[in-house]
Amino acid sequence: MRKPLIGVTSDTNENLLSMRMAYLSSVTAAGGIAVAIPVCLSDDDLAELVKNLDGLLVMGGADIDPARYGQAKTPECGDVKPQRDRVELELVRLARERDLPTLGICRGSQIINVAYGGTLVQDIPTTLGIDVNVHRQPQDYDVCTHTVDLMRGTLLERIVQKPVIGVNSRHHQCVDVLGAGLVVNGRTPDGIVEAFNDPTLGFMLGVQWHPEMLSHIQSEAHALFAALVAASCQYRP
């Protein structure tokens, strides 16, 4: 059986292609072939690219422009990258249309939510009154600082086969209104949505934490990438 091609979104940093190698290595360790997707592609080129992919990984990064979900930008919202927003929202739209197996991580999960018509909390501390360090940990990425309670029978619970998992956390935004058709898979004890999926598709899953930084030391994190690769192996457009 051939290895599936998994497209991985990227960022730009001073005109350089930018992406954390852990995204690529996590896909590779799970048996896939990771292919970087540059942010300069047109919608037509994205459509052509998606025809040749077996799966998609939408990675973390900067805040999404609130205009994309019908809000004005607050002072607490960070820097936005409109070009990246356009590319990733279009990729999710195409993936949804083709039932392409898709995993969104941190910002990537928020992109999926916005693509489904959902909204975001622009800043957790000022909006929800939760200390910034709870969800934007000062510790390294390979440290789990809080737990996520998984809903029984959901896609994520079936993947990790546990009711509660430990996760890392580096975000100051989160899901506010969940997009139409998406189903919560996991929440933190303070109520923040940490995982969701589209149950009408084979594999459209978003997680708010960074499993790519844990996959080499935590079986639950590795299982996410293994599930994406397994779904991509079975993909038939």
Side-chain angles (χ1 to χ4, degrees):
M1 180 182 295
R2 73 176 181 87
K3 292 183 176 182
L5 295 178
I6 312 294
V8 183
T9 62
S10 65
D11 204 345
T12 55
N13 183 11
E14 296 182 353
N15 293 318
L16 298 175
L17 185 70
S18 174
M19 63 194 320
R20 187 178 294 130
M21 288 296 295
Y23 292 107
L24 307 179
S25 61
S26 293
V27 170
T28 300
I33 298 176
V35 181
I37 302 174
V39 298
C40 59
L41 297 183
S42 67
D43 287 357
D44 287 344
D45 287 345
L46 291 172
E48 191 63 30
L49 173 65
V50 166
K51 292 177 185 177
N52 294 283
L53 294 178
D54 303 302
L56 175 67
L57 194 163
V58 188
M59 72 171 197
D63 292 345
I64 300 165
D65 187 346
R68 291 287 186 173
Y69 48 94
Q71 294 183 11
K73 189 173 184 286
T74 66
E76 294 79 21
C77 183
D79 292 337
V80 297
K81 297 189 174 182
Q83 176 73 347
R84 184 176 171 191
D85 291 349
R86 178 192 65 79
V87 166
E88 291 181 341
L89 287 167
E90 179 64 10
L91 282 169
V92 171
R93 187 192 70 79
L94 290 166
R96 184 181 183 183
E97 183 180 85
R98 297 175 64 85
D99 198 2
L100 181 72
T102 300
L103 174 63
I105 291 177
C106 198
R107 169 197 159 94
S109 71
Q110 296 169 8
I111 280 283
I112 292 174
N113 188 50
V114 172
Y116 275 70
T119 64
L120 304 177
V121 171
Q122 291 191 44
D123 186 63
I124 292 171
T126 56
T127 304
L128 302 180
I130 300 171
D131 185 87
V132 65
N133 289 334
V134 174
H135 292 282
R136 197 171 221 170
Q137 66 186 53
Q139 298 93 335
D140 288 341
Y141 277 105
D142 60 0
V143 177
C144 292
T145 57
H146 68 72
T147 58
V148 173
D149 300 315
L150 305 187
M151 282 59 185
R152 189 171 182 178
T154 57
L155 175 61
L156 183 57
E157 194 262 352
R158 295 196 302 271
I159 290 171
V160 302
Q161 299 184 345
K162 290 184 177 181
V164 180
I165 58 173
V167 303
N168 52 18
S169 196
R170 284 279 180 91
H171 62 102
H172 79 110
Q173 298 191 332
C174 65
V175 168
D176 184 9
V177 176
L178 196 62
L182 297 174
V183 173
V184 175
N185 283 211
R187 291 183 185 270
T188 55
D190 56 23
I192 286 178
V193 174
E194 287 274 332
F196 55 81
N197 81 303
D198 180 347
T200 69
L201 300 181
F203 193 100
M204 175 70 72
L205 176 66
V207 299
Q208 184 60 71
W209 64 95
H210 284 274
E212 81 282 0
M213 301 302 287
L214 297 169
S215 64
H216 63 298
I217 56 174
Q218 187 198 62
S219 60
E220 297 93 331
H222 174 75
L224 280 170
F225 294 96
L228 172 64
V229 169
S232 300
C233 284
Q234 299 168 8
Y235 176 63
R236 295 293 182 271

